[in-house]
Amino acid sequence: MSAHPVLVVQHERDTGPGLVGERLAETGLDLRVHHPWRGEELPGSLAGWAGLIVLGGAANCEDDTAAPWLPRVRQLIREAVGTGLPMLGICLGGQILAHALGGRVSRRPHGPEVGAVPLRRLPTADGDPVLGAVPEGALAAQWHWDDMDRLPVGAVSLLTGDDCPHQAFRVGPRAWGVQFHPEVLSDAIADWARSDGPAVRAAGGDPDGAIASVRDAEPQLRQVWGTMAEAWGAVVLAEAEADGVRVPLSAWTARD
């Protein structure tokens, strides 16, 4: 295994690491994408890994029938948080992070949030090593039917929005979860709209408007979330080189 390998869990065909993966590779990290949805085995532990990324997907974070690899993902997340290994959970990945540590994820009562949506900084974002540089009102690509409506005990909410309370949070010293999709641009949103567009329309959403809004926002999305990805990569590299102090797993509430 290379000096700085990062385990990436991809849940389905069209939800790869995208922009985040590109920018992390440029920092020198070695992203190893695992595809449990097509039968690939996930590692039994994170020994030897420098970081963990859990990507998005259509499954509910509790649906172990549709996604039978989720129990292993929850175990890996708890190990990452418990040992202080840098972690990033994106959309479904952020929901799994919250749920696995005792938070709550619920179906959105007013239908999905889709398109480029402005975020608001919370005072707790100041000084955060990954999200501290995100500007007020930054646009983020959204495509989700569930929300994290209660964070785990001890988690810190960093970014919020008008229609979603917890757009980004940190738990422990080196684990971050985001509800939005920093990895996607308009091509990915267009792909998702082709498959999910009828359901979005039936729920009152506008998939065509979502594509257009993300396309218009692409320069900002590349700059803001590319910078965020590089900041997370810097945490991974610093921690790998320092082999820093770990937080005991017993500090966090686990859920089977």
Side-chain angles (χ1 to χ4, degrees):
M1 193 174 285
S2 68
H4 303 304
V6 173
L7 173 62
V8 182
V9 180
Q10 181 172 333
H11 296 285
E12 54 196 52
R13 185 182 306 277
D14 296 326
T15 59
L19 175 65
V20 168
E22 292 172 12
R23 300 295 280 270
L24 290 176
E26 291 173 1
T27 71
L29 294 174
D30 179 14
L31 271 62
R32 307 286 185 89
V33 182
H34 283 57
H35 304 87
W37 57 275
R38 64 186 188 197
E40 293 181 7
E41 187 88 10
L42 288 171
S45 81
L46 294 171
W49 293 93
L52 170 66
I53 297 174
V54 182
L55 297 171
N60 179 274
C61 69
E62 299 180 72
D63 195 346
D64 297 353
T65 299
W69 57 89
L70 289 182
R72 175 64 62 83
V73 176
R74 288 193 284 269
Q75 291 171 1
L76 293 172
I77 285 174
R78 292 178 191 133
E79 181 183 349
V81 175
T83 61
L85 189 80
M87 189 217 152
L88 177 63
I90 291 174
C91 198
L92 173 59
Q95 293 168 1
I96 300 171
L97 170 62
H99 176 263
L101 299 178
R104 185 177 66 194
V105 176
S106 301
R107 196 72 164 177
R108 290 172 52 81
H110 305 302
E113 183 176 46
V114 297
V117 173
L119 305 184
R120 298 199 310 274
R121 288 174 58 91
L122 296 171
T124 46
D126 294 344
D128 184 84
V130 171
L131 291 157
V134 175
E136 176 68 19
L139 295 173
Q142 308 278 358
W143 196 274
H144 63 104
W145 295 77
D146 298 331
D147 278 344
M148 299 173 284
D149 58 3
R150 188 182 69 216
L151 295 181
V153 173
V156 178
S157 191
L158 303 170
L159 301 175
T160 187
D162 290 340
D163 197 36
C164 178
H166 304 297
Q167 286 284 0
F169 69 99
R170 185 184 68 250
V171 58
R174 302 179 194 94
W176 287 266
V178 299
Q179 181 57 80
F180 53 93
H181 284 278
E183 83 284 17
V184 306
L185 299 170
S186 59
D187 286 349
I189 296 293
D191 286 343
W192 297 348
R194 278 190 283 273
S195 58
D196 296 344
V200 171
R201 288 189 187 91
D206 180 7
D208 296 326
I211 297 168
S213 67
V214 173
R215 183 183 300 116
D216 291 344
E218 275 197 11
Q220 182 187 134
L221 298 178
R222 287 184 180 275
Q223 194 279 322
V224 172
W225 307 118
T227 298
M228 184 214 75
E230 292 173 354
W232 187 81
V235 171
V236 175
L237 291 170
E239 174 63 12
E241 292 167 1
D243 193 22
V245 176
R246 304 299 193 184
V247 177
L249 180 60
S250 59
W252 304 104
T253 301
R255 173 176 290 169
D256 293 331

